[in-house]
Amino acid sequence: MSVIVRIPTPLRGHTGGQDEVTVDAGTLAEVLDALDGAHPGIKSKLVDEKGVRRFVNIFVGDEDIRFMDGLGTAVADGDEISIIPAIAGG
Amino acid sequence: MPPKSIALIGAGGIGSPAALALCEAGVRDLLVVDEDRVELSNLHRQLWFEQEDVGSHKTEAFARRLGDRYPGTRVVAVDDRALPHNVLGIMARASVVLDATDNYASRFLLADAAHLAAVPIVHAAAVRWQATVMATAARGKPCYRCLFEDLPAGPVVDCATAGVAPPVCGVAGAIAADRVLRILAGDLTAFAHIVTYDGIADRLRSVPVAPRKDCPLCGSKPKIGNISRSRYTGGVCGV
């Protein structure tokens, strides 16, 4: 399945400035692995040993993966994955 | 206007355009809370300050300039930071809180205090080219902790080095003011979404947010029933 991952600006240092990355995966866990394979280090910003970091939110389309199957959430061809981290500046 | 003030917590890059939008819309009673002094590096995005204000208390300059532009406006300046010992007192004076702070500890503190005091709150944040805005009703759900749970642990990118683009602050302030006005108007559609703005991709999205059953603040068995200082240690500005 080819899915689009939208990269928030705080993480674009890992993607060479790209605001979206396309990866092939069947689950969200595979999405993050593929993302990290292409852009090493980015996965550790999003997950830790307990799962998705508590100040990061990941959405498949408009659905928060917390209310789906977490990292096991299945993704379909053409899905858009959004990453929304907590930010605190102003 | 409601009998209480709009409490603007943070008179910086987001608080400045938010105050402009609110006053242009007719708000004439603001409580402005900030402990900082104006710095030269603030001037490119904090539109109420001029070079002559550098070194002055932000709230003082903020109140003076708002009063000049909108005569008759009551601006109460609180030259202090919202902290565990005073935050509930601030809530008691507020009809709506606009969180325009620059650090996580303040954000979680304000979220908790607003919930405990049954005051609606709008959280607005910006860093680099990204902004987020989320509103929560009085005692409402989902709340800020439904989405972001708790202060980040471990290293985070510091806002001082990450920077923030002034136009992004303007967008965040404008959307936050819009949410405040919608809350005052009783518009329930202001809640249960987080708005994200990407200033590089020029993308504005509103993503639905669901309440979390095990949320420690608004969940079915809440664990946060008071303001405890130890809950707000750690976490600095950034992502």
Side-chain angles (χ1 to χ4, degrees), chain B residues 10 18 53 63 73 83 85 95 129 176 193 207 209 221 229:
Chain B
D53 297 320
T73 300
L83 290 169
H85 75 271
S95 55
W129 290 91
H193 288 77
V207 180
V209 176
K221 294 179 181 174
R229 179 181 296 272

Side-chain angles (χ1 to χ4, degrees), chain B residues 63-132:
Chain B
R64 187 174 66 251
R65 292 267 155 66
L66 273 176
D68 289 345
R69 178 153 178 165
Y70 304 101
T73 300
R74 188 174 83 103
V75 184
V76 177
V78 177
D79 181 30
D80 201 353
R81 184 176 176 182
L83 290 169
H85 75 271
N86 66 7
V87 71
L88 291 175
I90 293 169
M91 295 295 154
R93 300 163 71 179
S95 55
V96 182
V97 172
L98 199 167
D99 167 15
T101 58
D102 64 358
N103 66 91
Y104 289 113
S106 293
R107 290 184 176 275
F108 284 98
L109 172 65
L110 292 171
D112 295 351
H115 185 83
L116 295 174
V119 178
I121 185 167
V122 178
H123 302 278
V127 69
R128 294 180 177 155
W129 290 91
Q130 185 175 24
T132 59

Side-chain angles (χ1 to χ4, degrees), chain A residues 6-12 19-20 53-57 59 61-62 64 66-67 82-90, chain B residues 13-14 101-104 107 125-128 130 146-149 151-152 159 196 198 201 203 205 207-208 210-211 239:
Chain A
R6 299 206 180 281
I7 310 296
T9 51
L11 295 177
R12 285 183 198 156
D19 65 349
E20 61 181 47
R53 288 181 180 275
R54 59 189 181 182
F55 57 96
V56 172
N57 291 273
F59 294 80
D62 282 345
D64 187 337
R66 272 203 197 96
F67 304 102
S82 300
I83 300 166
I84 301 181
I87 58 175
Chain B
I14 292 174
T101 58
D102 64 358
N103 66 91
Y104 289 113
R107 290 184 176 275
V127 69
R128 294 180 177 155
Q130 185 175 24
C146 285
L147 197 57
F148 296 122
E149 299 192 26
L151 275 71
C159 215
T196 67
D198 182 331
R203 186 180 295 123
R205 292 186 68 206
V207 180
V239 178

Side-chain angles (χ1 to χ4, degrees), chain B residues 2-239:
Chain B
K4 294 182 179 179
S5 305
I6 306 300
L8 178 58
I9 317 297
I14 292 174
S16 296
L20 175 66
L22 289 170
C23 289
E24 285 291 332
V27 169
R28 291 292 179 269
D29 197 334
L30 282 171
L31 177 71
V32 183
V33 182
D34 199 309
E35 67 167 353
D36 289 344
R37 291 175 182 265
V38 179
E39 297 179 20
L40 190 62
S41 62
N42 299 152
L43 301 185
H44 72 302
R45 69 186 188 283
Q46 300 182 18
L47 51 86
W48 294 109
F49 307 134
E50 304 289 346
Q51 194 147 357
E52 68 201 49
D53 297 320
V54 172
S56 303
H57 290 291
K58 278 188 177 179
T59 52
E60 178 192 320
F62 202 97
R64 187 174 66 251
R65 292 267 155 66
L66 273 176
D68 289 345
R69 178 153 178 165
Y70 304 101
T73 300
R74 188 174 83 103
V75 184
V76 177
V78 177
D79 181 30
D80 201 353
R81 184 176 176 182
L83 290 169
H85 75 271
N86 66 7
V87 71
L88 291 175
I90 293 169
M91 295 295 154
R93 300 163 71 179
S95 55
V96 182
V97 172
L98 199 167
D99 167 15
T101 58
D102 64 358
N103 66 91
Y104 289 113
S106 293
R107 290 184 176 275
F108 284 98
L109 172 65
L110 292 171
D112 295 351
H115 185 83
L116 295 174
V119 178
I121 185 167
V122 178
H123 302 278
V127 69
R128 294 180 177 155
W129 290 91
Q130 185 175 24
T132 59
V133 179
M134 179 184 176
T136 299
R139 284 268 177 195
K141 53 179 81 172
C143 71
Y144 190 73
R145 282 190 185 270
C146 285
L147 197 57
F148 296 122
E149 299 192 26
D150 209 343
L151 275 71
V156 292
V157 175
D158 192 312
C159 215
T161 54
V164 60
V168 175
C169 290
V171 172
I175 295 173
D178 170 80
R179 293 301 182 274
V180 170
L181 295 170
R182 284 165 64 176
I183 290 169
L184 292 175
D187 179 355
L188 299 181
T189 65
F191 308 117
H193 288 77
I194 184 167
V195 174
T196 67
Y197 175 66
D198 182 331
I200 290 181
D202 207 15
R203 186 180 295 123
L204 184 68
R205 292 186 68 206
S206 178
V207 180
V209 176
R212 201 157 50 88
K213 272 186 185 172
D214 59 351
C215 174
L217 184 61
C218 74
S220 54
K221 294 179 181 174
K223 295 175 183 166
I224 299 173
N226 58 22
I227 299 298
S228 169
R229 179 181 296 272
S230 61
R231 199 175 285 123
Y232 311 103
T233 55
V236 295
C237 171
V239 178

Side-chain angles (χ1 to χ4, degrees), chain A:
Chain A
M1 308 293 179
S2 177
V3 301
I4 297 168
V5 184
R6 299 206 180 281
I7 310 296
T9 51
L11 295 177
R12 285 183 198 156
H14 290 276
T15 61
Q18 293 180 75
D19 65 349
E20 61 181 47
V21 174
T22 301
V23 299
D24 289 317
T27 65
L28 189 65
E30 292 171 9
V31 169
L32 298 184
D33 285 340
L35 193 60
D36 201 60
H39 305 286
I42 194 168
K43 182 179 173 182
S44 68
K45 300 288 187 185
L46 304 174
V47 297
D48 58 19
E49 66 280 2
K50 295 176 184 171
V52 178
R53 288 181 180 275
R54 59 189 181 182
F55 57 96
V56 172
N57 291 273
I58 301 178
F59 294 80
V60 177
D62 282 345
E63 297 296 323
D64 187 337
I65 64 155
R66 272 203 197 96
F67 304 102
M68 301 172 78
D69 292 327
L71 293 174
T73 299
V75 295
D77 203 40
D79 272 350
E80 291 187 4
I81 315 294
S82 300
I83 300 166
I84 301 181
I87 58 175

